[in-house]
Every structure is written in structure tokens, then in C-alpha cells.
Amino acid sequence: MDTLRAECPWDKKQTIHTLSNLTVEEVYELVDAVSMEDWANLKEELGDVLLHILFYSKIASEQGHFTLREMIAAQIEKLKRRHPHIYGDLSLEDEDAVKRNWEKIKLAEGKKSVLGGVPRSLTAVIKAYRMQEKAAQVGFEWNTSGEVWQKVQEEMNELHEVMEDNTASAERRTEELGDVLFSLINYARFHKIDPEQALQKVNYKFKSRFEYIESNAVKPLEEMSLEEMDALWNEAKKLERAES
């Protein structure tokens, strides 16, 4: 990185701002590798993310903010501070207790809200999940799965009503749809299912099946009926089951 920063025209020009979108892209590529359990690609994508960490640290060092060593040392200190049950004499019985204590420590460090650590730029599904998770750690949580599902049904009924109401505004319909999605994410979280991963798997499945339709269609898709495309879709499903 020292050499690239000194000699490469492109690397010389980069700032923390020009790198940020590229970093997001690299992280998504890493997540793709994780989702597919593609270990060879995972190794490469981890390297790409590490390169960005080195890049940011190099720029910070050049501007006199901090060095790579100082950044790592600060992270080690933070991990020790937030794990008093490992590096101190605190006793915590399980994972949930660890999470609750983690949030208490963050508030003691100066966080103004339990939700303050949730980045604004997170995707909506992940952000909803993380906010619900953090709120639950301080007791803002349903007691039973049945209560959560009752809330889902309540929100779905309200969505249905507003969609059938011709006088309802687009803003109101959007709000009610958001309430349904938020409640479904909460139901998934209550059952320890990651909704982002669940939706990603469905996305991959849909893509694979639709590409099967495209590859096996005997005429342009625009000329096919829904029934004809659905028959190919079902073929793709059978192949998936046979391969699993």
C-alpha cells in the first residue's frame, strides 16, 4: 500500500470519500461469497476488504489522524472493555446476557440511544432487524411467538383494508406495507431466522428458476403464456429437488 500510494496515479488520487462506495461494493461481494459458501471466493473477497482497511488507515496516517497500529490497538482495547466477562470478573450466564451488557457498556461510553449504533445506510431489512434486536436487549420485546404473529396478522388486515380503499393515498398504503414488512421481520427475528438471508435465498432461487425458463423456452418469453412459463418453472423446481 505504501508503494501504490506513492507510485500509482489512481491510488494517489483516492480519498476516504472516493473509496466509500467501492468499499460498500466489496462488502456486498463478500456477503455474496458467504451466502453461497464459496470458500475460494470468500478468501479473495476478504482480501479485498482488508485492502480497503489498509487503504483508509494509510490515508489517515498521511493526514496525521491515526496509524494502522493505533487503529488495531484501539480495537483491542474496545474488545477487552466490552468483554468484562472474559477480561474482568463479571459473570454472564448466556449469549443474551452478553448482548444486554454490551449495550449497557456502549451507553456508558457515551451512546445517546440503544439504537444509536445502527447505521443509517444499512439496507432496510437489516436495519429493521438490528433495531428490533437492540430494543429487545433492554426488554422492549414480546413475550411469546403467538403475540408476535398476532401483530403480523393485525398489520396484514390493516394493509388489506387500505389497499381495498380507493380513497387511500399512496403514502398511507406505503406506510401500511412497511408495517407488515417490519412485523414479519420481527417474527423472523423472534424465531432466530435472519430475514435478510432468507430473502437472499429466495432471490437466488427465483433467479435460478427464471433463468431456466429463459434457457429452455422454445419461443421468446413475450410470446409465451403464463401457463407455459409456469410449466418450465415447475420443471426447474423438480430439478432442484433431484439435486438436493
Side-chain angles (χ1 to χ4, degrees):
M1 178 52 64
D2 289 342
T3 301
L4 292 174
R5 191 70 173 158
E7 299 180 15
C8 175
W10 185 87
D11 289 282
K12 284 181 182 180
K13 290 179 61 178
Q14 301 315 304
T15 69
I16 59 173
H17 302 292
T18 61
L19 286 175
S20 62
N21 285 340
L22 299 176
T23 304
V24 171
E25 183 179 335
E26 294 295 353
V27 171
Y28 273 114
E29 289 178 359
L30 172 62
V31 171
D32 280 344
V34 170
S35 298
M36 302 299 290
E37 294 190 16
D38 184 345
W39 291 97
N41 199 32
L42 178 60
K43 176 183 176 182
E44 179 179 351
E45 299 304 338
L46 282 170
D48 289 341
V49 171
L50 176 59
L51 177 62
H52 277 244
I53 293 171
L54 295 173
F55 214 145
Y56 285 109
S57 298
K58 175 63 178 175
I59 294 172
S61 178
E62 291 170 351
Q63 298 182 10
H65 298 298
F66 59 83
T67 66
L68 176 66
R69 183 179 294 275
E70 289 169 342
M71 180 271 289
I72 295 173
Q75 181 65 19
I76 291 172
E77 183 59 33
K78 183 170 71 173
L79 285 172
K80 288 181 177 179
R81 187 170 64 251
R82 293 186 180 178
H83 288 79
H85 54 294
I86 303 297
Y87 298 102
D89 55 6
L90 183 66
S91 178
L92 297 174
E93 64 274 15
D94 56 26
E95 176 189 357
D96 289 336
V98 171
K99 289 181 178 180
R100 288 193 298 270
N101 192 62
W102 181 283
E103 294 302 332
K104 289 180 182 178
I105 293 171
K106 288 175 69 175
L107 289 173
E109 291 172 349
K111 296 287 185 182
K112 295 181 179 180
S113 168
V114 169
L115 305 181
V118 181
R120 290 184 299 173
S121 56
L122 277 179
T123 63
V125 172
I126 298 176
K127 189 173 184 178
Y129 185 93
R130 291 292 289 141
M131 289 195 300
Q132 293 168 0
E133 186 178 47
K134 286 179 175 292
Q137 288 164 11
V138 294
F140 193 73
E141 175 72 299
W142 297 100
N143 292 314
T144 67
S145 171
E147 291 175 329
V148 185
W149 182 245
Q150 184 176 349
K151 183 63 176 176
V152 172
Q153 290 180 312
E154 176 187 319
E155 298 294 356
M156 290 179 68
N157 288 337
E158 291 180 7
L159 174 64
H160 180 70
E161 288 177 7
V162 76
M163 289 300 187
E164 294 298 309
D165 182 0
N166 294 329
T167 66
S169 66
E171 182 179 355
R172 175 75 192 286
R173 291 178 175 183
T174 299
E175 181 181 345
E176 294 298 341
L177 176 60
D179 287 343
V180 169
L181 295 174
F182 193 85
S183 63
L184 280 171
I185 290 168
N186 198 33
Y187 188 66
R189 182 192 59 81
F190 202 88
H191 286 278
K192 302 186 184 304
I193 296 172
D194 185 329
E196 179 74 13
Q197 290 185 7
L199 188 55
Q200 282 284 26
K201 288 182 178 180
V202 171
N203 286 340
Y204 291 139
K205 183 167 60 177
F206 181 88
K207 182 174 183 292
S208 175
R209 291 177 183 177
F210 192 80
E211 287 175 347
Y212 180 88
I213 294 174
E214 291 177 311
S215 299
N216 292 274
V218 295
K219 55 185 175 182
L221 297 187
E222 295 83 356
E223 298 176 11
M224 294 179 66
S225 66
L226 179 59
E227 289 75 15
E228 289 173 321
M229 287 190 280
D230 195 48
L232 289 173
W233 178 276
N234 289 328
E235 285 182 16
K237 287 174 64 175
K238 290 180 181 177
L239 287 173
E240 286 174 7
R241 293 194 188 103
E243 293 172 357
S244 62

